[in-house]
Every structure is written in C-alpha cells, then in structure tokens.
Amino acid sequence: MEKAFDFDFVFDTQFVFRKLLDAIAKPMTVESIDKLKNSFPENAFLTALGCTFLDNGAEMYVEKNTALADTLAGLTLSKQTDIENADYIFLTSELNYETIRTIFEKAKKGTLPDPHKSATIIINCHSFEGDEDITVVSPGIKDAYNGKTSKYIKTILEIKQQLACEYPCGIDLFFISDKGDIFAYPRLARLTKEEK
C-alpha cells in the first residue's frame, strides 16, 4: 500500500510541538523541523505545523492558499473561518506590509480576563537572514536577544508593535522558513533599542 504522506500524527506532532515550545520559551532562537521536509507532497512545513496546532475544536484562516486550507481541514477536522474568528492564521507567502497590517488589526488579541484567547499567526518567509539589527525583550526572559534579521521580518515585528495592545493582550507569531527553520515572537515580546 502506498502512503499519501509520510507524517506520523503521534511522533511527528510531538517532535514539532517540542520545537515550538523551545521557540516560544526563547524568542528569536531558531529551531529546525527540516527532517519533515518530505512529510507531505506540498507545503510540508506549514502542513506539519497545522497538524500540530489544529484539531476539531480550532478555527483557522489560510491566506491565499485554498489547497493548504482544504488539506488542513481534512487532516485535522478544524473549521475554516474568517480572520476575525480564527485561532490560527497561516500566511503562506511573503505579503505586502499593508496586507499584514490589516491581518494583524483584524486578528483576535484576547481580552484582559482571557489574554490567551488570541490568534497565533504562522508566517512563511523565504529566509530569516539579513542585515537588520534587532533587540528583543520579553517578560520572563532574562537576557535580551540581540541579532540580525531580514528587513521583511523586522518590518513585520515593527507593525505588530505599532498595534499597542493593552497588556497582556496581543498576538503570537511563529515564522517558518522555506528550509524548515522556526522562530517565535510571543505576544508580549517587544523591540527595543540596545543600551550602549
């Protein structure tokens, strides 16, 4: 019997989940799920993330990729919805900044009693590499992250910061590259200028 895909819903979702936990615990630190590059015929990394995040109680929105949306709905039984109601939002290609700003503005930010009822946005990027300096701080993280990233990613982080959500509300971001690298930018993380 020929398998339609080579993804194990027990072991591979556990593997991805551990990588996501490591990424969110250490904002901007790159983790890799490269070993799953052949797990699905198309959009392997986004599909692996979707199979880890989603279940039949979750609602999702997939921007400009109906094939991925249908695949995730079929594999996870999650419901497709609009941006305003989605628990998980998948941006499957590099979008212009105004589109990203609109999506961020419409996405659920949680409420003061339930800040965790916010959207998680998964953003596919070609690469994380670039020459833009960034310093990121986050509550509960002892040391600031100082590093370099692409202009595209830095601009996205600046757009998120401009939302100025009331603490502790906001949106969580996960970035996934074309080669399976992941990093997280939690809802309470902030860009700051490094003190010299």
Side-chain angles (χ1 to χ4, degrees), residues 85-105:
N85 295 304
D87 302 307
Y88 297 93
I89 298 170
F90 293 82
L91 308 184
T92 61
S93 61
E94 293 192 355
L95 304 172
N96 67 62
Y97 298 130
E98 283 311 307
T99 300
I100 289 170
R101 183 182 305 279
T102 300
I103 290 169
F104 284 7
E105 288 171 350

Side-chain angles (χ1 to χ4, degrees), residues 78 108 119 135 154 182:
S78 60
K108 294 191 299 187
T135 299
K154 183 176 182 181
I182 299 171

Side-chain angles (χ1 to χ4, degrees), residues 63-83:
E63 177 76 11
K64 295 185 177 180
N65 193 325
T66 54
L68 177 62
D70 292 343
T71 297
L72 291 177
L75 292 172
T76 67
L77 303 180
S78 60
K79 299 169 190 67
Q80 298 182 53
T81 188
D82 54 21
I83 294 170

